[in-house]
C-alpha cells in the first residue's frame, strides 16, 4: 500500500507470547503488536491487526493481505530475497530449553543423537536445529505454542526457541514451569542475523523509511522503554 | 471448568461462537459456488465435444485426487500472487489488491465440491432410466423437452444423497481454512488451546460442535430425500 | 529458482515425505481392513442395542473433521499423560507417528465398516437362500457366499476410501509427522517458490494413478464372473435387460 | 370402413450394430386397419426393426414413409432429420417394460404428450386423458404413480399414453412378456379391443394366441430377414419354411 | 419299483406374515416316486408353502417330517433347530430365479454342496458333478460362469446342483417362469426325465401341460388353503370347485 494511505494493516502471528498472542477476549496483544500500533500512530495512520499463521506470513505480505509484518521475525539473508526489513527493533538470541533435571549439558550432534528435539517449523530455530543436529529426531510444529504444549506433556527432550519468549514461558507460565533454559544463548549470526525487524514489500521503500523514522522517534522519547518494561526485565533493543 | 466456556471477555464461549459463525458462513457461501461448478463439470463430461469432455474429466479427476489442503494452499498463496502479478502487468500503478482468506476458502472448497458434485450429477444423469427417455422420444418430444420434463425432475432424486454427503464433507473441510488463518471454529479452538493449555477439552468441544452440525444436516437431508421420493416408492 | 532447480535441490525431502504418506496410508488402511469385516457383520446382524456404540462411533468419526480428530488425539493425549503413563499407554501416545496412525486407522475403520456393510447387504438374498437350501451352516454361508460377494461389490468403494485416506494423511504434518504436504509447506516457507506445490500435486496424482491401476487390476480378477468373455444376452432375466 | 390406405411403409431397412448386420433388408407395408404380428426367435431383430420404424434406432439404410411423410436413410444418415419428431408423434409405441415416467401420475403420463408435444390446452388434454384411462379400465387409478400400479395396469397406462397422441399406428414391442401370466389377459383384452376398433397396429409378440386370432397378417423374421409372411390361418396351418415350422413347434 | 414309502410329510402348516395369515393349515404327504404339482393364483401361498417345507420360511406352526426326521413348530419356534440344516440337505430346491452363485462356475456350483456340506473329497465330488452336468446336457459349459449361460442353461445347472446332494425329494418353485418361452422346453424336458426316473418332486408351476401330463397328483391352493386335490386327469376334466374352474379357464 502506498505510505500515504490513511490506514494500514499490520500482520502478526498471534501465537508467540509474549510478543504476539491472542487474549481470551479475542484481541491480539503483545510486545510486537504494541510497538507496531505505536509506530502507526507516529506515522499518522490507523492500523488494523491481522493474524496469520507463521507458515504463510511472508506469502501473505506479498499477496497484500497486510502491509507490514511485525512478528518477531529475524532478519536473514533468505528472507531478504523476498521482503525488505526495517532496522532491527529488538535484538535476540536463541536458546535451548530442556525439562528440569534432564541433565543435558553438551550440545553437539554426537551428544544429542537420537534425542527428540522440537522447534517451530519455518523459523530460524528450525533451521538451526536441522543444521546442527542432523542425527537427532527433529519434530517441527506449526506454532511455538504447540512446541511448548508438547514439551510440557513430555514428548520432546529438548527444544530450541527464541531467548525472550522462552524466558517468559519458563518463568512466568504454569506449564512452562516444567522446564528451564539449558546451555549458552545461541548467537550465531548465521542464524540470528542482525536482529529482529519489520518486514515490508520490497517496493514499499517509503513505508520502510517512515517505519524506521518512527522507530527512532519512540526509541528516543522513551515510549519504547515504557512498552519494553511492561514485558521484560532487560532492554531488548540492546539486550543489556 | 464452565468459566472456560463463558460468554464474554473471561471465557472462550464468544470466540468459539464467532468462529462457528464464520464456519457456517463459509459453508453456505461455498455451496452455490460448488454446485455451479459441479453442473458445469457434469455438462462438460457429458457433452458431445471431445475437448470439453477432456476438460471436464481433467478437472474432476485432478481435483478429486489432490488433498483438499493442497488445493487450499495453492489457491491461497498462489492465487494471491498471481492476481497481483496480473494486476501489475495490466496497470503498473494498480494498488495491490486483496485476496481474503475467506475468498480463498470459498474458491478452494468450491472447486473441490464442484469436482465431486460433477461426478455425482453425471452419475445421476446416467442412472436415469433409459426407457423413460425413449418413451419421451417415441411420442416426439425434442431433446430439450426430454431434458426438462423427464430427466431434470428425476435428476434431483438421484443426486440428492450424493450431494448430501458432499455437503457434510464440505462442512468438515471448512476446518482446513484454519491453517490459512481464517478465524473459523477450528482456529478459534486452537487459539483457546494455546491460551488455556487444555487441548483435550477444547478439541473435544470443537468435535462435538461439528458433529452436531453434521447430524443436523443429516436429519434435514433425510427429510429432503423423503420429499424427493414422494410417489416413487410404494407407500407401504 | 525455476521448478527444476527446486526439484533438484529438495527431492530428498519430497521423497522422504512421499514414503511417509505411503506408510501412513498403507498401515492405516491395513489395520482398518483387518478390523472392519467383524464390525460390519455386527452392523448387519447384531441386535440394535448391541449396535448402538458402533453406530455412535461411526457417526462421530464421520461427523467430525479429521483435522480435529488428529489434534484431539495428539495434543489431547498429552493432557492426560499421567493417566496414560499409569496404564502403560504413554509410550504409544508419545510417538506422533502412532497418534497419526491411530487417527487415520480409526477414521478408515469407520468408513470401511460402512462400505462393507453396504456390500454385505447387497449380496443377493437368493444366493444366500440357495446356500441355506443345501444345508450350509451360517459360518459357511458367510465364508463361501456372503464375503466373496460383499468384497466384490464393495471393492471400488474400498478403493475410493483408500484414496481418501491418502489425501487425509496430508494433514499429518500438523502433528509433526512430515508427509508430502508437510515437506512441501516446509520447502515453501523457505523458498516461497510456488512450483513446489505443483510438484506436490504431481506426486499425489502419481500415487493415486498407480494405486487406481493396481486396484482395477485386482477388481478385474475379483469379478471374472461378471466380465467373463462370451457373455450371452441375459435372456434369463428379461427384467434386468432394459435397466442396465 | 374406409378403403385400405397405406399408413406406414418401410422399404428395404438395413441395420448394423458395428460389424453385426441385424436387419438385412426388410420391407413392410401397413394399411388402415391392419394388425400385423411380428414373430421370430430371440435375436432375430424384431425389436430392432420396430425401433427403426420410429427412428429410436437410426437404420443404416432404407426408407420409412408415414402418412406421406418420408424419411430416406443412407449410410446411417437420415436425409430429413426434421421429420423424425413428426413421424414419432404419429406412431405410438408401447414398450415391453412400459417405460412410464415414474415421477408422474398415470394421468400426467397420459397428458404429457398432448400438452408438451401437440400443445393442446391443459383442460382439454386432461379430459381426453381421463376418457382414455377409463377406456383401459383405470378410472380409479388416475392419480396413482406407476410404482403403485401392477404391471398389467402400468402397461394399460402406457397404451393410453400412446393413444393420447392419436397416432396413425401403434407399435407394440412384446407388450405382455414382462407381465405375470395372470396379468397378461388384461392387456391382451385392451389390445384386442383396439384391433376391433380398426386401429392400425404392429405387434412384436410371443403370444401365439394373439397372433393367430387377432392379427390380419403375420410376419416371421429369421436372422434379420422376413422368412415368411401371410394371413395367420394359412401360415400356421401349413408353414412353408422349415425354420417357421420349428419355431411354432417350440413355442407351443 | 419299491413300495410307496412316505418321504415327506407336512402337517397342518400355518404361516403368518405379521397379521396376514398366508397359510391356513396345509397338510401334504409325498411318497416315493410322487410328482406333486402345486397350482394356485398369485398370492395364494404356493411359494410360501414350499419354502416352509425346508424352513427357508419358519412356519408359524405345524410339523414337517422328512425321512423320519421331524420338526415340530409352535408359535414360530421350531423345537429341533439342529435338524433344520439336516432336513435342508435332504430336500433339493430349484428356484424360479435359479439363484446360482454368480461367483462360481457351473461345475463349482454343483460341487459346492457335496464338498462343503457333505464333506465329500474334492475329486469324487468333481466326478459326480461332471456326470450330473452331462446328464442335464451341459458337458460343454462346465467351466462357464452363470452370467455366460442362458436362462435355460442356468436352470439346468441349478437342477444339477440340487441333484448333487442326492436329495430324497426335490422342490421346484416355478422353475420355468423366469425363462423366455423358447427356453422353457429344455428345462421341462429335464424335469420330465427326472419324473420318469421315479424321483420324488414337488413342483409349483404355471405350466398346465406339465401338471397334466407329468404329475401324479395336483394340489390347488386358494387363499392359503387346499381347495382341491387329486389326480390331474380327474381334476382338469371336472373341477369340483368354482375357484379351480375359474383358474383353469384363466390360465389357458
Ligand atoms: N444397441 C445394440 N448394440 C449392439 N447390438 C445390438 C443392440 N441392440 C440389439 N443388438 C443385437 O441385435 C440383434 C437383434 O436384437 P433384437 O433386440 O432386435 O432381437 P429381438 O428379436 O427383439 O429379440 P428378443 O425376442 O430377445 O427381444 C441381437 O443379436 C442383439 O444382440
Ligand atoms: N416375506 C414376506 N413378508 C410379508 N408378506 C409376504 C412375504 N412373503 C410372501 N408374502 C405374502 O404372502 C402371500 C403369499 O405369497 P406367495 O409368494 O407364497 O404367493 P405365490 O402363490 O407363490 O404367488 P406367485 O405365484 O406370485 O409366486 C402374498 O400375499 C405375499 O404378499
Ligand atoms: Mg426384443
Ligand atoms: Mg411364488
Amino acid at each position: 500500500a502506498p505510505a500515504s494511505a490513511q490506514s494500514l494493516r499490520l500482520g502478526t502471528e498471534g501465537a508467540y507470547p509474549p510478543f504476539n498472542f491472542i487474549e481470551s477476549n479475542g484481541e491480539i496483544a503483545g510486545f510486537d503488536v504494541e510497538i507496531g500500533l505505536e509506530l502507526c500512530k507516529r506515522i499518522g495512520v490507523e492500523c488494523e491487526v491481522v493474524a496469520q499463521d507463521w507458515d504463510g506470513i511472508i506469502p501473505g505480505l506479498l499477496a497484500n493481505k497486510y502491509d507490514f509484518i511485525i512478528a518477531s521475525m529475524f532478519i536473514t539473508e533468505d528472507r531478504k530475497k523476498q521482503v525488505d526489513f526495517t532496522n532491527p527493533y529488538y535484538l535476540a538470541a536463541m536458546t535451548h530449553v530442556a525439562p528440569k533435571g534432564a541433565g543435558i549439558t553438551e550440545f553437539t550432534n554426537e551428544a544429542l543423537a537420537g534425542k527428540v528435539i522440537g522447534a517451530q517449523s519455518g523459523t530460524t530455530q528450525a533451521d538451526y536445529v536441522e543444521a546442527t543436529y542432523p542425527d537427532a529426531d527433529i519434530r517441527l510444529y506449526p506454532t511455538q505454542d504447540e512446541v511448548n504444549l508438547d514439551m510440557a506433556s513430555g514428548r520432546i527432550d529438548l527444544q530450541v526457541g527464541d531467548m525472550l519468549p522462552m524466558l517468559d514461558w519458563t518463568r512466568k507460565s504454569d506449564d512452562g514451569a516444567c522446564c528451564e533454559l539449558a546451555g549458552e544463548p545461541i548467537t550465531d549470526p548465521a542464524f540470528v542475523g542482525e536482529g529482529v525487524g519489520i518486514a515490508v514489500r520490497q517496493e514499499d521503500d517509503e513505508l520502510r523509511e517512515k517505519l524506521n523514522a518512527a522507530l527512532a522517534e519512540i526509541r528516543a522519547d522513551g515510549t519504547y522503554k515504557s512498552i519494553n518494561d511492561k514485558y521484560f526485565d532487560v532492554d531488548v533493543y540492546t539486550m543489556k | 471448568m464452565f468459566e472456560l466456556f463463558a460468554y464474554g471477555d473471561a471465557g472462550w464461549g464468544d470466540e468459539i461462537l464467532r468462529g462457528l459463525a464464520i464456519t457456517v458462513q463459509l459453508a453456505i457461501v461455498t455451496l452455490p459456488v460448488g454446485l455451479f461448478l459441479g453442473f458445469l463439470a457434469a455438462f462438460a463430461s457429458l457433452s458431445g465435444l471431445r475437448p470439453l469432455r477432456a476438460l471436464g474429466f481433467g478437472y474432476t479427476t485432478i481435483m478429486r485426487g489432490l488433498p483438499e489442503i493442497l488445493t487450499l494452499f495453492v489457491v491461497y498463496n498462489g492465487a494471491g500472487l498471481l492476481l497481483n502479478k496480473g494486476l501489475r502487468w495490466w496497470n503498473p500503478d494498480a494498488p495491490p489488491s486483496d485476496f481474503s482468506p475467506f475468498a480463498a476458502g470459498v474458491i478452494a472448497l468450491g472447486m473441490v465440491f464442484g469436482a465431486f458434485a460433477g461426478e455425482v450429477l453425471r452419475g445421476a444423469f446416467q442412472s436415469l432410466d433409459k426407457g423413460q427417455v425413449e418413451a419421451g422420444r417415441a411420442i416426439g418430444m425434442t431433446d430439450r423437452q426430454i431434458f426438462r420434463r423427464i430427466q431434470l425432475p428425476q435428476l434431483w432424486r438421484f443426486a440428492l444423497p450424493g450431494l448430501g454427503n458432499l455437503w457434510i464433507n464440505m462442512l468438515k473441510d471448512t476446518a482446513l481454512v484454519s491453517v490459512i488463518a481464517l478465524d473459523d471454529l477450528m482456529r478459534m479452538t486452537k487459539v483457546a488451546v494455546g491460551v488455556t493449555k487444555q487441548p483435550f477439552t477444547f478439541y473435544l468441544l470443537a468435535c462435538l460442535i461439528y458433529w452436531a452440525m453434521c447430524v443436523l444436516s443429516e436429519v434435514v437431508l433425510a427429510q429432503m430425500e423423503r420429499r424427493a421420493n414422494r410417489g416413487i416408492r410404494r407407500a407401504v | 529458482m525455476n521448478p527444476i532447480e527446486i526439484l533438484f535441490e529438495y527431492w530428498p525431502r519430497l521423497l522422504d515425505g512421499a514414503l511417509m504418506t505411503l506408510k501412513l496410508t498403507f498401515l492405516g488402511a491395513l489395520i482398518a481392513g483387518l478390523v472392519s469385516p467383524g464390525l460390519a457383520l455386527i452392523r448387519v446382524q447384531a441386535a440394535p442395542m448391541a449396535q448402538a456404540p458402533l453406530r455412535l462411533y461411526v457417526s462421530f468419526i464421520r461427523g467430525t473433521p479429521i483435522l480435529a480428530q488428529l489434534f484431539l488425539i495428539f495434543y489431547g493425549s498429552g493432557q492426560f499423560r499421567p493417566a496414560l503413563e499409569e496404564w502403560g499407554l504413554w509410550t504409544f501416545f508419545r510417538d506422533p507417528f502412532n497418534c497419526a496412525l491411530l487417527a487415520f486407522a480409526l477414521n478408515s475403520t469407520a468408513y470401511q465398516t460402512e462400505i462393507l456393510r453396504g456390500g454385505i447387504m447387497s449380496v443377493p438374498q437368493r444366493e444366500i437362500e440357495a446356500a441355506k437350501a443345501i444345508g450350509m451352516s451360517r459360518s459357511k454361508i458367510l465364508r463361501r457366499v456372503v464375503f466373496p460377494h460383499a468384497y466384490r461389490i464393495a471393492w471400488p468403494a474400498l478403493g475410493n476410501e483408500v484414496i481418501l485416506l491418502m489425501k487425509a494423511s496430508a494433514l499429518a504434518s500438523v502433528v509433526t509427522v512430515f508427509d508430502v504436504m508437510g515437506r512441501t509447506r516446509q520447502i515453501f516457507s523457505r523458498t516461497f517458490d510456488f512450483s513446489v506445490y505443483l510438484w506436490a500435486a504431481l506426486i499425489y496424482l502419481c500415487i493415486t494413478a498407480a494405486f487406481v491401476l493396481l486396484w482395477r487390476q485386482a477388481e478385474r480378477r475379483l469379478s471374472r464372473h461378471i466380465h467373463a468373455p462370451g457373455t450371452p444376452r441375459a435372456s434369463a432375466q428379461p427384467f434386468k435387460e432394459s435397466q442396465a | 370402413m374406409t378403403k385400405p390406405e397405406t399408413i406406414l411403409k418401410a422399404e428395404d431397412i438395413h441395420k448394423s450394430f458395428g460389424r453385426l448386420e441385424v436387419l438385412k433388408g426388410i420391407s413392410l407395408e401397413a394399411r388402415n386397419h391392419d394388425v400385423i404380428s411380428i414373430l421370430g426367435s430371440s435375436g432375430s431383430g424384431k425389436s430392432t426393426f420396430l425401433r427403426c420404424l420410429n427412428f429410436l434406432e437410426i437404420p443404416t439404410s432404407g426408407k420409412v414413409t408415414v402418412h406421406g411423410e418420408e424419411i430416406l436413410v443412407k449410410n446411417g444418415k437420415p436425409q430429413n432429420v426434421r421429420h423424425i419428431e413428426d413421424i414419432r408423434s404419429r406412431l405410438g409405441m408401447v414398450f415391453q417394460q412400459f417405460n412410464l415416467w415414474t415421477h408422474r401420475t398415470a394421468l400426467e403420463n397420459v397428458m404429457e404428450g398432448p400438452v408438451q408435444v401437440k400443445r393442446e390446452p391443459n383442460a382439454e388434454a386432461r379430459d381426453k386423458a381421463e376418457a382414455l384411462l377409463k377406456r383401459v379400465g383405470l378410472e380409479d387409478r388416475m392419480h396413482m404413480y406407476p410404482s403403485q400400479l401392477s404391471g398389467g395396469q402400468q402397461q394399460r397406462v402406457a397404451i393410453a399414453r400412446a393413444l393420447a397422441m392419436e397416432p396413425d399406428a401403434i407399435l407394440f414391442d412384446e407388450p405382455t412378456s414382462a407381465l405375470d401370466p395372470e396379468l397378461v389377459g388384461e392387456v391382451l383384452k385392451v389390445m384386442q379391443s383396439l384391433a376391433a376398433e380398426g386401429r392400425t397396429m404392429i405387434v412384436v409378440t410371443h403370444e401365439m394366441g394373439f397372433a393367430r386370432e387377432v392379427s390380419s397378417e403375420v410376419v416371421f423374421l429369421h436372422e434379420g430377414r422376413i422368412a415368411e409372411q401371410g394371413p395367420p390361418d394359412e401360415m400356421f396351418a401349413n408353414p412353408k419354411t422349415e425354420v417357421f415350422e420349428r419355431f411354432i413347434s417350440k413355442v407351443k
Side-chain angles (χ1 to χ4, degrees), chain A, chain B, chain C, chain D:
Chain A
S4 54
Q6 288 306 299
S7 70
L8 288 174
R9 288 156 307 164
L10 170 168
T12 192
E13 187 193 4
Y16 202 62
F19 291 97
N20 55 71
F21 54 90
I22 298 174
E23 293 181 316
S24 70
N25 64 7
E27 297 280 310
I28 302 171
F31 176 77
D32 287 341
V33 178
E34 279 197 49
I35 293 284
L37 290 175
E38 189 61 35
L39 295 180
C40 290
K41 215 182 284 172
R42 298 305 165 102
I43 298 175
V45 294
E46 291 281 309
C47 270
E48 178 198 350
V49 182
V50 178
Q52 163 68 55
D53 274 8
W54 188 251
D55 257 0
I57 205 158
I58 289 184
L61 178 69
L62 300 182
N64 194 33
K65 291 177 179 121
Y66 28 80
D67 302 298
F68 61 94
I69 303 170
I70 178 159
S72 296
M73 185 180 283
F74 284 123
I75 302 166
T76 63
E77 288 308 313
D78 271 349
R79 289 179 181 142
K80 276 189 191 161
K81 288 180 199 151
Q82 305 288 333
V83 295
D84 278 354
F85 285 97
T86 60
N87 299 329
Y89 66 95
Y90 73 88
L91 291 181
M94 300 187 289
T95 180
H96 293 97
V97 179
K100 280 183 177 148
I104 299 177
T105 50
E106 209 183 320
F107 297 92
T108 61
N109 184 34
E110 292 73 37
L112 294 179
K115 293 272 187 219
V116 181
I117 305 181
Q120 181 181 2
S121 176
T123 59
T124 43
Q125 298 91 284
D127 290 345
Y128 179 80
V129 172
E130 286 194 315
T132 320
Y133 309 120
D135 292 332
D137 178 0
I138 294 168
R139 305 261 167 88
L140 301 178
Y141 294 78
T143 65
Q144 184 65 44
D145 268 346
E146 280 154 345
V147 190
N148 296 351
L149 204 58
D150 242 18
M151 178 141 228
S153 62
R155 278 207 184 91
I156 48 185
D157 301 321
L158 187 71
Q159 67 154 308
V160 173
D162 262 357
M163 175 68 87
L164 289 167
M166 287 301 106
L167 264 177
D168 209 56
W169 180 59
T170 51
R171 296 203 184 138
K172 291 186 186 157
S173 71
D174 294 338
D175 58 322
C178 64
C179 309
E180 60 192 4
L181 302 197
E184 295 294 312
I186 304 162
T187 51
D188 185 343
F191 295 98
V192 179
E194 311 153 32
V196 172
I198 301 169
V200 298
R201 284 183 287 271
Q202 287 174 332
E203 66 268 22
D204 285 347
D205 281 339
E206 200 185 338
L207 175 62
R208 185 169 50 93
E209 289 313 323
K210 283 193 176 175
L211 286 168
N212 275 335
L215 183 60
E217 201 178 313
I218 62 171
R219 185 66 201 157
D221 70 8
T223 316
Y224 185 104
K225 183 163 171 13
S226 66
I227 296 173
N228 181 84
D229 292 351
K230 281 206 285 194
Y231 292 92
F232 310 109
D233 303 333
V234 295
D235 180 359
V236 296
Y237 191 81
T238 55
M239 272 298 176
K240 284 187 186 119
Chain B
M1 177 89 174
F2 285 107
E3 57 270 27
L4 276 181
F5 306 137
Y7 193 91
D9 274 1
W12 290 92
D14 52 333
E15 278 74 23
I16 286 179
L17 274 183
R18 233 181 306 134
L20 177 61
I22 301 262
T23 292
V24 171
Q25 268 174 37
L26 184 64
I28 288 177
V29 175
T30 303
L31 184 65
V33 176
L35 275 178
F36 178 72
L37 289 174
F39 266 103
L40 286 189
F43 286 133
S45 15
L46 288 170
S47 112
L49 294 175
R50 215 199 181 111
L52 252 171
R53 266 209 313 274
L55 193 71
F57 176 80
Y59 165 64
T60 54
T61 310
I62 292 178
M63 285 314 282
R64 289 184 309 147
L66 293 181
E68 289 77 3
I69 184 117
L70 178 61
T71 307
L72 196 61
F73 272 108
V74 169
V75 170
Y76 184 62
N77 292 330
L81 287 174
L82 278 181
L83 187 68
N84 278 324
K85 257 191 200 149
L87 273 176
R88 293 289 153 74
W89 176 80
W90 176 254
N91 169 10
D93 296 327
S97 78
D98 189 19
F99 195 66
S100 77
F102 191 86
V106 168
I107 291 173
L109 293 177
M111 277 165 70
V112 173
F113 188 97
F116 282 93
E119 291 297 281
V120 167
L121 292 170
R122 188 173 63 84
F125 258 111
Q126 289 175 337
S127 58
L128 292 178
D129 180 11
K130 304 250 187 332
Q132 295 188 34
V133 172
E134 288 208 328
R137 285 217 182 100
I139 61 167
M141 286 176 135
T142 59
D143 283 351
R144 274 181 65 128
Q145 280 175 322
I146 289 173
F147 176 71
R148 215 165 35 84
R149 305 279 310 169
I150 299 172
Q151 294 180 298
L152 208 53
Q154 301 196 62
L155 185 68
W156 178 236
R157 178 164 66 90
F158 284 102
L160 189 57
L163 293 179
N165 275 340
L166 293 184
W167 161 258
I168 287 175
N169 281 344
M170 195 251 287
L171 205 55
K172 294 189 292 170
D173 279 348
T174 56
L176 300 179
V177 301
S178 66
V179 302
I180 58 167
L182 183 58
D183 288 333
D184 74 318
L185 174 57
M186 193 66 210
R187 185 170 159 93
M188 291 323 269
T189 305
K190 278 201 248 179
V191 168
V193 169
V195 175
T196 62
K197 315 292 174 203
Q198 301 239 20
F200 187 80
T201 319
F202 279 96
Y203 287 129
L204 186 64
L205 176 70
C207 279
L208 292 177
I209 294 175
Y210 280 110
W211 195 15
M213 286 195 287
C214 288
V215 170
L216 186 72
S217 300
E218 272 165 10
V219 171
V220 173
L221 284 166
Q223 200 73 31
M224 289 167 72
E225 266 175 55
R226 212 164 308 136
R227 288 192 53 155
N229 284 330
R230 256 180 334 189
I232 300 302
R233 295 201 188 111
R234 265 172 209 277
V236 233
Chain C
M1 279 194 276
N2 70 35
I4 303 296
E5 282 174 58
I6 290 276
L7 187 65
F8 203 72
E9 180 162 354
Y10 289 104
W11 71 266
R13 280 177 192 244
L14 285 172
L15 182 67
D16 196 53
L19 291 178
M20 180 56 83
T21 293
L22 288 176
K23 197 163 126 190
L24 274 173
T25 310
F26 176 77
L27 287 177
L30 184 69
I31 293 170
L34 293 176
V35 183
S36 55
L39 296 183
L41 266 188
I42 295 178
R43 278 292 273 123
V44 174
Q45 300 185 333
M49 277 308 280
Q51 287 186 24
L54 196 52
R55 295 176 65 155
L56 209 64
Y57 155 68
V58 171
S59 167
F60 181 82
I61 295 286
R62 298 217 291 190
T64 56
I66 191 162
L67 183 66
Q69 294 163 14
L70 262 178
F71 281 130
L72 184 67
I73 290 178
F74 186 68
Y75 294 112
S77 66
Q79 192 176 337
F80 294 107
R81 178 179 173 187
L84 290 171
E85 266 177 337
E86 209 165 293
W87 301 328
L89 289 175
W90 179 246
T91 39
F92 177 86
F93 282 100
R94 187 167 194 260
D95 184 358
F97 178 81
N98 290 345
C99 290
L101 185 59
L102 178 67
F104 294 134
L106 279 175
N107 217 271
S108 195
T109 300
Y111 283 95
Q112 288 194 26
T113 298
E114 286 305 289
I115 290 168
L116 211 49
R117 178 178 76 101
I120 292 175
M121 301 227 299
S122 44
V123 174
Q125 199 57 34
R126 315 178 194 153
E127 293 190 28
I128 297 175
E129 286 205 332
K132 279 187 189 160
I134 60 165
M136 273 199 195
S137 62
R138 266 171 86 82
S139 63
K140 264 240 159 88
I141 292 176
L142 287 179
R143 246 181 327 124
R144 304 285 306 175
V145 180
V146 174
F147 274 115
H149 257 298
Y151 271 102
R152 209 227 73 235
I153 295 166
W155 196 252
L158 287 174
N160 280 343
E161 162 53 24
V162 176
I163 290 174
L164 288 180
L165 182 64
M166 186 203 61
K167 296 202 304 169
S169 73
L171 296 173
S173 66
V174 299
V175 296
T176 76
V177 175
F178 276 65
D179 66 318
V180 173
M181 193 61 212
R183 290 295 176 205
T184 302
R185 288 171 67 181
Q186 200 183 18
I187 297 167
F188 183 78
S189 68
R190 189 159 305 182
T191 60
F192 303 108
D193 191 316
F194 193 65
S195 61
V196 60
Y197 284 127
L198 302 182
W199 288 118
L202 202 63
I203 292 174
Y204 278 112
L205 292 178
C206 285
I207 294 178
T208 309
F211 174 79
V212 166
L213 282 182
L214 278 175
W215 204 258
R216 288 245 175 91
Q217 206 67 35
E219 182 179 343
R220 212 160 292 148
R221 206 164 267 200
L222 275 175
S223 24
R224 277 186 309 252
H225 55 291
I226 295 171
H227 304 295
T231 304
R233 289 153 46 88
S235 53
Q237 292 167 10
F239 292 90
K240 295 289 151 57
E241 208 167 6
S242 73
Q243 289 167 4
Chain D
M1 262 203 196
T2 49
K3 73 166 210 284
E5 173 201 0
T6 297
I7 300 255
L8 182 153
K9 199 163 156 190
E11 288 163 83
D12 198 28
I13 304 288
H14 286 256
K15 173 71 188 174
S16 306
F17 290 109
R19 312 173 62 187
L20 176 74
E21 190 171 20
V22 175
L23 301 182
K24 298 168 182 158
I26 297 192
S27 302
L28 188 74
E29 190 170 344
R31 272 168 301 253
N32 225 341
H33 308 312
D34 271 357
V35 176
I36 302 180
S37 288
I38 302 183
L39 307 180
S41 51
S42 185
S44 57
K46 307 181 296 293
S47 300
T48 307
F49 174 62
L50 210 64
R51 294 160 57 79
C52 281
L53 291 181
N54 66 354
F55 292 90
L56 286 181
E57 302 286 359
I58 308 292
T60 315
S61 72
K63 192 162 97 178
V64 177
T65 317
V66 176
H67 221 112
E69 203 114 44
E70 81 171 44
I71 299 186
L72 182 70
V73 186
K74 277 187 186 151
N75 293 321
K77 297 249 177 303
Q79 313 267 317
N80 246 328
V81 185
R82 300 280 168 70
H83 288 180
I84 287 186
E85 273 153 26
D86 223 65
I87 282 196
R88 283 180 183 157
S89 70
R90 286 168 181 278
L91 294 177
M93 177 134 182
V94 175
F95 299 86
Q96 181 179 13
Q97 300 288 343
F98 335 137
N99 297 1
L100 294 182
W101 298 306
T102 48
H103 59 303
R104 306 237 144 110
T105 62
L107 189 67
E108 289 166 351
N109 263 281
V110 179
M111 288 168 61
E112 183 76 6
V115 174
Q116 296 295 325
V117 178
K118 297 178 97 182
R119 309 251 162 240
E120 287 178 18
N122 231 299
E124 205 172 288
R126 172 180 302 267
D127 288 346
K128 201 172 66 179
E130 285 176 356
L132 281 169
L133 284 169
K134 196 172 291 175
R135 162 101 172 61
V136 297
L138 291 174
E139 53 272 50
D140 51 343
R141 301 287 153 101
M142 303 211 236
H143 298 292
M144 292 193 166
Y145 286 96
S147 62
Q148 297 169 299
L149 299 174
S150 79
Q153 291 166 340
Q154 287 188 53
Q155 194 60 299
R156 283 183 281 155
V157 175
I159 292 175
R161 178 173 67 179
L163 290 174
M165 295 295 288
E166 288 160 1
D168 295 327
I170 311 184
L171 317 176
F172 292 86
D173 190 2
E174 304 195 22
T176 60
S177 69
L179 299 176
D180 283 349
E182 281 180 280
L183 303 177
V184 169
E186 28 180 276
V187 172
L188 285 180
K189 219 166 65 193
V190 171
M191 290 173 62
Q192 213 148 359
S193 74
L194 292 177
E197 265 176 27
R199 296 255 175 200
T200 307
M201 294 157 68
I202 302 182
V203 185
V204 169
T205 187
H206 278 297
E207 292 290 326
M208 290 305 126
F210 182 89
R212 260 181 132 132
E213 285 146 39
V214 181
S215 55
S216 55
E217 185 176 353
V218 170
V219 172
F220 176 68
L221 285 196
H222 183 67
E223 295 181 350
R225 288 212 175 77
I226 296 185
E228 231 178 302
Q229 182 170 21
D233 302 336
E234 247 171 64
M235 273 182 73
F236 282 100
N238 42 34
K240 286 192 206 75
T241 58
E242 198 189 323
V243 279
F244 186 51
E245 192 167 358
R246 210 167 46 220
F247 177 78
I248 320 184
S249 74
K250 259 208 283 183
V251 181
K252 170 104 292 178

